Amino acid sequence: MQIARWVILVSAIYGISLNAFAGEGVESVDQAEIYQHGDIVIMDPWAKSAFGEHRVKLFFEFQNLGADPDRLTRIDSPINDGKSRMIAVHSTDDGVRTQQNIDSLEIPATQTTFELSEHGYYLVLENVSKPILMGSKLPVHLEFEKAGGINIDFTARFHSPSLSRRIKEAASSGDVETLKALHPRAEN
């Protein structure tokens, strides 16, 4: 049964409980977590921290429903000493990735949804005071130039909630090709 093999492989790679496919005993990610403040919409805020590190990477999808662009100018949280960074990742044609600290993140006025990721832009909380456990909620304050401030709870996860939804949808429909595409290095 090829689909069962791919469900198990993708589950192991992305740290998803097999119960997630059955909807048992785990927090559902079927519904997006959405925050709105003024014209700014933030969806599926999540955090990732490597074992033993005292920093947390923050990710989310966002959209600016307003007529004018806005800027994310500051990140604060009670779980760290106040030091935070915004990172822009650049890739060269030969695949070399470099990171650059940026002072703010532009939030364009558009109907398009953008996603923070380790391959583009993301946020970092430095000097976190205690280990971050999977599933825990991290309070974060985001300050926007025009929209002002919003308090959001980021959930510690292995990966994006939207990825979990795509994996679950592909597994439920028996779409082996989509499961393979979600992890292209997986062996046949």
Side-chain angles (χ1 to χ4, degrees), residues 63-93:
Q63 186 176 19
N64 179 354
L65 302 175
D68 299 313
D70 204 339
R71 298 189 87 69
L72 175 62
T73 58
R74 196 174 84 236
I75 315 149
D76 294 311
S77 178
I79 68 165
N80 76 332
D81 68 358
K83 184 176 179 186
S84 60
R85 298 185 294 145
M86 292 181 232
I87 305 290
V89 178
H90 305 283
S91 296
T92 62
D93 291 337

Side-chain angles (χ1 to χ4, degrees), residues 72-146:
L72 175 62
T73 58
R74 196 174 84 236
I75 315 149
D76 294 311
S77 178
I79 68 165
N80 76 332
D81 68 358
K83 184 176 179 186
S84 60
R85 298 185 294 145
M86 292 181 232
I87 305 290
V89 178
H90 305 283
S91 296
T92 62
D93 291 337
D94 58 356
V96 176
R97 288 178 33 179
T98 60
Q99 296 181 359
Q100 173 186 2
N101 290 330
I102 56 175
D103 295 327
S104 63
L105 179 64
E106 183 169 348
I107 312 294
T110 178
Q111 296 301 310
T112 303
T113 300
F114 296 92
E115 183 174 7
L116 299 184
S117 77
E118 290 180 294
H119 303 285
Y121 296 91
Y122 63 93
L123 314 176
V124 178
L125 295 176
E126 299 284 355
N127 304 323
V128 174
S129 58
K130 60 184 179 177
I132 305 301
L133 302 174
M134 288 299 124
S136 62
K137 301 282 188 180
L138 314 175
V140 176
H141 178 82
L142 301 176
E143 189 69 34
F144 295 90
E145 189 173 75
K146 294 178 181 165

